Amino acid sequence: MRYTTHPARALPRRLAVVGQGRVGRTIAAALSGAPLNVLGPYGRGELPPRCDCLLLCVPDREIEAVARVVAGVAPLVGHTSGATPLAALSPAAESGAGVFSLHPLMSFPEPIDDRAAARAHLAGAGCAIAGDSARTRDVAAALASATGMVPFEIDEVGRAAYHAAASIASNFLVTLEAAAEQVASGAGLSAEQARALFAPLVARTVENWARKGPARALTGPIARGDEATVARQRAAVAATAPALVDLFDVLVEHTRALAAQRPSAPAPAAEVA
């Protein structure tokens, strides 16, 4: 991967967005305004008017079918999937269009229709781009940058690993926090109380991971080698949420391996007699 620079002239003048979901509406709002003329977002069954570029913000399983419907509408066609290869746009490519992808490395819990709010949501986020030519990669990079995102290239071979990593970093984190809520009920905490209490801890942990890397950010009983506490935790999980014991055990195993990578603390200085 490498970060990509792009000339502003790579921006298409008339861009049509297909897809009225959370991603389509947010990206359409973020891109609206000069020098872009953004059309839509259109529904998946609608045929946009002829334009310079089409951006398909539809579910992965529908990309190829929608690309077939819109083939011939624009000389440039892209999608916003992180996992789906460019080959899904082959119906558009067969009609002579250059194809590309741009995948915002950001979660979209709800659509954002206000331009300023959409740009604030995307500002500084990474955006994985790919294209079938230097020109289409420049277009993808220009569109990403126009929203405030930071484009970087991802090749087709690495696409699945990239998207899996993104899911682990984001989706699985939410799954873990849901598990924490379940276990916290054993301490008499409601889900709402657990979220309010643990959110600052999670936020600071993520900050530490981003600044220091995983090994240095790791704290807690496993990092300290306090196996007695880990055993008490496991017993509490088994009593409160037995379905989570296997998950707890796997996480303990991997956390022990991570703890083994931590740099050794410096030896304390000898006291002067």
Side-chain angles (χ1 to χ4, degrees):
M1 296 186 302
R2 65 180 177 83
Y3 286 95
T4 305
T5 57
H6 68 283
R9 62 178 178 274
L11 279 173
R13 290 183 179 275
R14 282 167 54 89
L15 168 74
V17 175
V18 177
Q20 296 177 327
R22 292 169 291 182
V23 175
R25 285 167 59 182
T26 302
I27 288 183
L31 287 172
S32 63
L36 275 170
N37 180 10
V38 177
L39 311 175
Y42 296 92
R44 299 171 202 167
E46 296 182 83
L47 185 64
R50 289 192 174 276
C51 54
D52 301 315
C53 183
L54 279 172
L55 187 61
L56 310 184
C57 305
V58 300
D60 293 31
R61 63 183 179 277
E62 298 182 20
I63 291 173
E64 187 169 356
V66 175
R68 188 171 293 110
V69 170
V70 301
V73 170
L76 295 165
V77 179
H79 69 60
T80 56
S81 168
T84 303
L86 292 177
L89 296 172
S90 57
E94 289 165 5
S95 72
V99 298
F100 65 92
S101 68
L102 60 89
H103 176 252
L105 200 50
M106 178 52 64
S107 60
F108 293 82
E110 58 191 9
I112 303 174
D113 297 313
D114 176 76
R115 180 178 186 269
R119 289 181 62 82
H121 182 73
L122 295 172
C127 186
I129 66 167
D132 63 353
S133 68
R135 179 193 176 213
T136 55
R137 288 190 292 274
D138 278 348
V139 169
L143 289 171
S145 293
T147 68
M149 292 187 287
V150 180
F152 63 95
E153 291 184 28
I154 193 82
D155 61 31
E156 294 293 274
V157 174
R159 183 184 286 273
Y162 152 76
H163 200 253
S167 292
I168 292 169
S170 177
N171 307 148
F172 291 178
L173 176 61
V174 176
T175 302
L176 284 176
E177 299 313 323
E181 288 181 23
Q182 284 185 258
V183 177
S185 68
L189 297 174
S190 69
E192 293 76 14
Q193 288 174 318
R195 287 195 291 272
L197 291 168
F198 294 159
L201 170 65
V202 174
R204 182 56 56 85
T205 300
V206 171
E207 290 173 4
N208 290 340
W209 164 72
R211 288 191 298 109
K212 301 179 179 182
R216 289 182 177 275
L218 185 64
T219 62
I222 295 175
R224 296 192 301 269
D226 184 353
E227 294 298 329
T229 295
V230 175
R232 285 194 293 272
Q233 290 178 337
R234 188 182 191 280
V237 172
T240 305
L244 296 176
V245 170
D246 288 345
L247 175 63
F248 181 86
D249 287 343
V250 170
L251 291 172
V252 167
E253 177 185 353
H254 285 274
T255 304
R256 284 196 183 111
L258 181 59
Q261 301 173 24
R262 299 175 76 224
S264 300
E271 293 183 0
V272 177

